[in-house]
């Protein structure tokens, strides 16, 4: 199988899955987005966790 055909099928599959998820969520009238305050708190928590994990891992010792 040529590489371009594999990539086309992979990206096409991802696009189809996104369309299906979007259609189901619209049908259920749900949203996947968090409000701004929750999004900021989540991002800050992820940054703090990343900093702590980075400081705990000493790769060059």
């Amino acid at each position: 199988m040529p590489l371009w055909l594999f990539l086309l099928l992979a990206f096409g599959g991802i696009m189809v899955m996104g369309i299906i998820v979007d259609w189901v969520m619209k049908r259920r009238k749900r949203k996947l987005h968090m409000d701004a305050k929750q999004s900021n708190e989540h991002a800050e928590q992820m940054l703090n966790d990343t900093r702590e994990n980075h400081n705990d891992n000493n790769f060059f010792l």
Side-chain angles (χ1 to χ4, degrees):
M1 175 187 297
L3 181 61
W4 65 268
L5 184 59
F6 174 74
L7 293 175
L8 183 68
L9 290 173
F11 287 122
I14 292 170
M15 293 290 287
V16 169
M17 288 296 293
I19 290 169
I20 291 171
V21 168
D22 187 48
W23 179 72
V24 169
M25 289 297 163
K26 283 182 182 177
R27 191 168 175 197
R28 292 182 182 177
K29 298 183 188 230
R30 293 185 181 179
K31 293 184 179 179
L32 293 174
H33 305 291
M34 295 184 283
D35 65 351
K37 185 176 180 181
Q38 286 178 337
S39 180
N40 279 344
E41 290 173 359
H42 182 70
E44 289 176 11
Q45 183 64 39
M46 284 183 56
L47 285 172
N48 287 335
D49 290 345
T50 303
R51 284 188 196 115
E52 289 174 8
N53 288 340
H54 182 69
N55 289 335
D56 291 342
N57 294 330
N58 296 320
F59 293 113
F60 300 110
L61 287 180

